[in-house]
Amino acid sequence: MKKSVNIANKTAPIVAFLILLVIWELGVRIYHIPGYILTGPGQVLVTITKTYPMLWFHGSMTLLEAISGFIMAIAIAFIMAFLLDTLFWLNRAVYPLLIISQTIPLIVLAVLFTIWFGFGLLPKILVVILVCFFPMVISFSNGLNTVDPDQISLFRSMGASRFKTFTMVKLPAAMPSFFSGIRISATYSIMAAVIAEWLGSNRGLGYYMTLQQKQFAIDRVLAAVVVICLLSLLLVKLIDLLEYLLVPWNRKHLGQVWEN
Amino acid sequence: MVRLKVANVSKTLEGVHTLDNLTIELHDKEFVVIVGPSGCGKSTLLNVIAGLLKPDRGSVYIDGKDWTGLTGRVSYMQQKDLLLPWKNILDNVSIPLVLKGINKKEARETAWQYLQDFNLQDFAGHYPRQLSGGMRQRVALLRTYLFASDILLLDEPFAALDAITRHKMQLWLKDIRQRYQPSILFVTHDINEALLLADRIYVLSARPASIKLEINLPTTPSGSEKQHLEEQILIILEG
């Protein structure tokens, strides 16, 4: 019983997705929608297989920008969260600035960065960092605050230093929150890189899409979209794997032990 | 021999007068229970003894030495097990030893010895959340014991457990106590628990906590004696 429910849970999204694709394909065919407006998923698939060297050429650039920005954002967010946790006055001073930084339209920033830093890698990485680090700082700091104060008292009563308490209690306790922030940012990172490329570059999926869009090559635009989705999913899965390895105590399948 | 002495301690917490001129003694190998109504400041008292809080007035002496406001001498266990969910049982039990600066491998070996003594060896590799509440409290008590085995402060350690498990744990604690003979200061609001475990009982008043009664229990009190004492304590707690 339980198993069949499980299988149903797993297959349901796949079935729903396939149905959607079929409706899309049928819609395009039945209403004879021209290729410069919308192509069916079948054509998109064909385009992907035909143009994959191009997609890889641009996609690898996007991936490079996204991952470098993402990793730097993790480091910055980590240091920031640590400082916000240790220095109360800094928390007071910086927190509002953090919020404000998120209200600046990303598009404006991307354009400004291009003006300041040119068409190269740097402005893209900066955009990715700006987009990614915020959710991580918030979830990192929340994670550090979730620790039971009694837990900290216990360590203090055993004469543990602040540093020991941080590394032995606060840091591990914050790990699940860290990872939920990292996961959100992972999905943002590819998108941020694409937006930055869209607004000014000479390589990357964003750039590729602007080119194809101007030629009304909708199938190629959609092919790039598929690649973007796949890259984002790949990053998320990678984070899931990391979490599985680094936070073993949180695994769902851990069973209860029953004693006398 | 007096191991622990709380001398004339008063404490006001966030404007609330919590402890009022308390004096308490704990002798060597003695099991002293402090009974008081919920919220009377029992935990505050233990926090003061553990050195987590500084009293406004009065001092805490351990083996004649002034430990007022200093942590790291006695071991302290609370109602919550406070086991680290990311460490398995063996590593959780090793924590006090690691904090004392013993290297990890040696700490694990010592902890393993004691897990066997406490009959918890089957759970060594499991995570805390895989264990029942009663088992987790046993592990927590062992961790407490490994930090300082001579003086233990236990703050309502069984209060969160169901009645049957609680009773099992009380008998288990009695057994542990007989085997290792530490000095124990035990706080509870459960009169029966106090009568079952204690050599001596302090009965505290509602806030601000002061000592209303001190009872020396006979080694094997008869049923009627126990009932009489229970009534006596109840009158104070309700009054």
Side-chain angles (χ1 to χ4, degrees), chain A residues 150 249 251 255-257 259, chain B residues 72 80 82 86 129-130 132:
Chain A
D150 287 338
W249 65 92
R251 291 176 195 170
Q256 283 276 325
V257 193
E259 65 281 322
Chain B
K80 287 180 266 185
L82 298 175
W86 51 87
R129 78 183 166 96
Q130 295 178 283
S132 67

Side-chain angles (χ1 to χ4, degrees), chain A residues 100-252:
Chain A
I100 292 170
S101 79
Q102 293 307 299
T103 63
I104 303 170
L106 183 62
I107 293 176
V108 176
L109 278 179
V111 171
L112 280 178
F113 286 158
T114 309
I115 293 171
W116 295 338
F117 306 113
F119 285 81
L121 207 55
L122 179 64
K124 279 89 196 173
I125 290 177
L126 284 179
V127 169
V128 174
I129 290 176
L130 270 176
V131 170
C132 290
F133 98 106
F134 181 72
M136 292 198 282
V137 173
I138 299 299
S139 60
F140 285 14
S141 336
N142 284 347
L144 292 173
N145 278 325
T146 51
V147 184
D148 187 343
D150 287 338
Q151 187 68 263
I152 293 169
S153 295
L154 174 74
F155 269 68
R156 274 220 300 142
S157 81
M158 294 196 283
S161 64
R162 267 185 76 116
F163 179 73
K164 270 268 181 231
T165 311
F166 185 84
T167 54
M168 287 182 77
V169 183
K170 290 193 112 180
L171 201 56
M175 287 297 266
S177 313
F178 281 16
F179 271 100
S180 59
I182 290 175
R183 192 176 297 107
I184 294 170
S185 289
T187 59
Y188 289 175
S189 65
I190 301 277
M191 206 141 63
V194 168
I195 291 173
E197 289 162 357
W198 188 288
L199 293 166
S201 69
N202 43 32
R203 191 180 159 186
L205 286 173
Y207 167 73
Y208 179 72
M209 277 159 67
T210 52
L211 277 190
Q212 302 309 326
Q213 181 216 16
K214 280 174 193 155
Q215 300 166 29
F216 293 98
I218 299 301
D219 56 335
R220 292 192 171 196
V221 174
L222 291 177
V225 170
V226 171
V227 173
I228 290 170
C229 292
L230 288 178
L231 289 180
S232 301
L233 282 179
L234 181 80
L235 271 187
V236 171
K237 285 290 151 201
L238 209 68
I239 301 298
D240 284 346
L241 178 69
L242 265 183
E243 178 170 21
Y244 183 83
L245 294 174
L246 292 176
V247 193
W249 65 92
N250 236 1
R251 291 176 195 170
K252 286 192 185 72

Side-chain angles (χ1 to χ4, degrees), chain A residues 256 259, chain B residues 77 81 83 89 120 127-141 169:
Chain A
Q256 283 276 325
E259 65 281 322
Chain B
M77 172 179 174
D81 57 73
L83 298 173
I89 298 306
L120 293 166
Y127 287 110
R129 78 183 166 96
Q130 295 178 283
L131 271 57
S132 67
M135 275 302 153
R136 283 207 295 268
Q137 283 304 81
R138 288 185 197 211
V139 175
L141 185 78
M169 294 292 288

Side-chain angles (χ1 to χ4, degrees), chain B residues 118-129:
Chain B
F118 275 55
N119 205 16
L120 293 166
Q121 70 275 22
D122 293 348
F123 309 109
H126 288 97
Y127 287 110
R129 78 183 166 96

